[in-house]
Amino acid sequence: QVQLVESGGGLVQAGGSLRLSCAASGRTFSTYNMGWFRQAPGKERELVAVFLWRSSTTYYAPSVKGRFTISGDSANNTVYLQMNSLKPDDTAVYYCAAQTVGRRISDIYVAGTYDCWGQGTQVTVSS
């Protein structure tokens, strides 16, 4: 299995930017699809973005498309989430997750199909 550690969260004003990092140890990222999810208080965990290593394909939730960018650095076994034009609605705990490749493509949207999770990092956007 892979172990995931997120970093880069913090407090930022609306319109600002943050970059989250997810560093992995153990098995290499190339055997996983990598996702960023978030969970706000009282809400369900939701998908933010997904990066497919084997094809470099990316997927985004409609609420973040055009503002967030997910990318991967295979040399450092790290996945990033660049978040621009942040809004108060983006406030949540952000989690990095790894999904074993080979599933149906529709499974990338389902949190329960991911095998490994990081501990989460808090992002707070003030108005």
Side-chain angles (χ1 to χ4, degrees):
Q1 260 194 342
V2 65
Q3 292 75 46
L4 306 174
V5 178
E6 302 101 331
S7 61
L11 173 64
V12 64
Q13 287 189 330
S17 299
L18 283 173
R19 189 176 80 156
L20 306 183
S21 299
C22 174
S25 59
R27 295 178 64 181
T28 61
F29 269 157
S30 62
T31 60
Y32 293 94
N33 298 323
M34 298 302 301
W36 282 99
F37 289 78
R38 67 186 181 187
Q39 188 166 19
K43 294 187 178 182
E44 291 188 357
R45 191 168 296 189
E46 63 174 358
L47 176 71
V48 175
V50 178
F51 181 77
L52 308 184
W53 282 99
R54 292 185 174 181
S55 60
S56 296
T57 303
T58 57
Y59 296 89
Y60 297 94
S63 59
V64 306
K65 197 169 185 179
R67 300 188 296 122
F68 291 10
T69 302
I70 188 170
S71 60
D73 179 350
S74 58
N76 293 308
N77 250 11
T78 302
V79 172
Y80 302 98
L81 185 68
Q82 177 66 43
M83 305 185 295
N84 299 327
S85 303
L86 282 162
K87 305 174 182 180
D89 284 348
D90 295 318
T91 295
V93 177
Y94 283 70
Y95 297 91
C96 176
Q99 179 192 69
T100 304
V101 298
R103 289 183 169 270
R104 298 173 303 181
I105 192 63
S106 57
D107 284 345
I108 65 170
Y109 302 102
V110 182
T113 64
Y114 285 73
D115 305 291
C116 306
W117 291 83
Q119 82 287 355
T121 185
Q122 177 70 47
V123 171
T124 303
V125 184
S126 62
S127 57

